[in-house]
Amino acid sequence: MRTLPRLLLALYFLARPLLGLQEPAPVESVTLAFRPAPGSALERFFESEHDLVSESMLTSRGDQLTSVPGQMKLKTRHELRVIDHFRSLADGRVDDLRRTFVEARRDSRLGLKNVLELESPTPLSQTSPLREGVSVVFQWAPALERYGKHYDAREEEEAALEGLAEDLDLRALLPSQPVAVGATWTVPAGALRDLIAPGGTIPYDIPRKADPRLLRTLASGLGSSLEYAFDGARDGGLDLTLREIREVEGQPGRREAVLSLACDLEVSTDLADHVQSKVGPMEKASGMQITLATIVLELQGSGELIWDLDGGYARALTLDL
């Protein structure tokens, strides 16, 4: 099965503008750094769309492979809207973050076309237990070199915290030193996991009458949950080029950097254990065993990142793969 993913991401941020800035003098290089003011807050909106079309499908019984007639199409759309409160920062890292969820939803549509060219669409709309009003606190634990996570004010399912990621700031895309217009640097494929899955693995509620085939497909990392593919082998990366430095429209004296993105990477892993854990009760009763579930993602495309130089955060990102 070949996946043809199309990923569109858009970020929108709201932050208090800085006043009284003077027109900067021309400079040869700039520092792209994450440095929002402690105590500030940003509203973020991510939207991603995945289109998957199967070119062929095979089933196996022992050593015998059988071609399955027909075609599968899967369309998935994710939306994530949060407000991040930066309570403490140090050395370009957030030490204490409070993330308030505004909306997290996933809309999927599975189409199965048989040999008679009859298509049977199966729609599915899901919301997350991390719904409006739920807040999660991320606190950096130096001894463990990772973030601890807990709910703030209102408790929800503890299991929902497990796969959440703190970095919605695109820090992995930034160069390690000042760069001039025209400079290019490469980010390795492994660093793009948080870009492909903003906020980490977001849990979703499962409707009672949901098609188990669709749920298993989504959980397997086909058309959704692409972050699981980054647990295995990786090759290639994302090239970023500083294209220009310009004034923010409507904010005299405030600067932003415009970066071009060019993606060419491949990631692959065997998700057999993960897919087996998502098998439904009826499939388990039938004795279904997943022994091999290799997913390979070849991602090529381009995009644009706009970075607020004075505020120290990303203003917008688009990426089409």
Side-chain angles (χ1 to χ4, degrees):
M1 180 179 293
R2 181 186 176 192
T3 61
L4 303 174
R6 179 174 181 270
L7 176 62
L8 298 175
L9 299 178
L11 311 184
Y12 301 91
F13 299 93
L14 298 178
R16 181 178 301 174
L18 301 179
L19 303 177
L21 295 176
Q22 301 298 316
E23 183 71 23
V27 294
E28 294 184 356
S29 62
V30 293
T31 299
L32 299 174
F34 174 70
R35 51 187 180 199
S40 65
L42 296 177
E43 181 178 3
R44 310 166 183 271
F45 174 66
F46 289 78
E47 182 182 78
S48 64
E49 295 181 355
H50 305 260
D51 291 344
L52 181 146
V53 179
S54 67
E55 292 187 342
S56 63
M57 293 186 289
L58 300 172
T59 61
S60 64
R61 288 181 177 274
D63 296 331
Q64 182 179 1
L65 293 177
T66 304
S67 177
V68 179
Q71 185 184 66
M72 181 186 76
K73 295 181 180 180
L74 176 60
K75 291 182 175 289
T76 310
R77 183 171 180 265
H78 296 251
E79 287 186 6
L80 176 64
R81 189 185 296 272
V82 301
I83 299 175
D84 278 352
H85 302 261
F86 302 102
R87 305 199 290 194
S88 176
L89 299 96
D91 301 324
R93 182 189 62 237
V94 180
D95 280 348
D96 191 336
L97 171 74
R98 182 176 184 263
R99 175 165 297 155
T100 301
F101 287 82
V102 179
E103 183 178 32
R105 64 177 296 112
R106 178 172 68 185
D107 296 304
S108 309
R109 189 176 185 87
L110 175 66
L112 298 173
K113 184 180 291 186
N114 60 24
V115 291
L116 300 177
E117 297 297 313
L118 298 176
E119 189 165 348
S120 175
T122 303
L124 175 65
S125 293
Q126 296 172 274
T127 57
S128 173
L130 303 173
R131 51 185 56 87
E132 183 176 6
V134 174
S135 295
V136 175
V137 173
F138 296 81
Q139 292 180 319
W140 180 252
L144 301 177
E145 294 189 343
R146 62 180 176 85
Y147 285 94
K149 295 168 281 190
H150 63 84
Y151 289 109
D152 183 39
R154 194 172 89 189
E155 293 291 326
E156 294 291 338
E157 299 175 8
E158 285 296 318
L161 296 173
E162 183 178 354
L164 298 184
E166 168 272 336
D167 187 5
L168 283 178
D169 313 306
L170 310 180
R171 300 195 298 267
L173 305 186
L174 301 180
S176 58
Q177 57 190 8
V179 291
V181 172
T184 297
W185 61 97
T186 300
V187 177
L192 301 183
R193 181 183 177 118
D194 289 342
L195 176 62
I196 296 298
T201 303
I202 304 295
Y204 292 100
D205 297 326
I206 301 177
R208 289 185 177 181
K209 296 184 179 180
D211 187 331
R213 297 171 300 176
L214 175 54
L215 292 175
R216 187 175 66 250
T217 301
L218 293 173
S220 300
L222 296 176
S224 183
S225 303
L226 299 180
E227 66 270 21
Y228 292 115
F230 285 78
D231 291 337
R234 311 156 188 160
D235 186 33
L238 179 70
D239 292 333
L240 296 96
T241 300
L242 178 56
R243 196 170 73 227
E244 66 171 313
I245 300 170
R246 67 191 184 191
E247 187 176 79
V248 178
E249 184 176 357
Q251 299 186 44
R254 193 180 185 95
R255 301 171 303 159
E256 63 186 12
V258 182
L259 292 78
S260 298
L261 283 64
C263 183
D264 186 1
L265 62 88
E266 178 179 311
V267 293
S268 63
T269 191
D270 183 7
L271 295 174
D273 292 341
H274 175 72
V275 177
Q276 183 66 43
S277 70
K278 304 299 180 181
V279 170
M282 295 183 62
E283 294 166 324
K284 287 182 179 179
S286 69
M288 175 182 285
Q289 291 291 325
I290 307 296
T291 58
L292 183 65
T294 301
I295 179 173
V296 179
L297 293 180
E298 297 178 1
L299 303 177
Q300 292 88 33
S302 60
E304 180 181 84
L305 170 64
I306 299 177
W307 191 269
D308 189 310
L309 291 171
D310 297 297
Y313 57 85
R315 280 184 171 271
L317 167 73
T318 58
L319 182 60
D320 194 349
L321 301 174

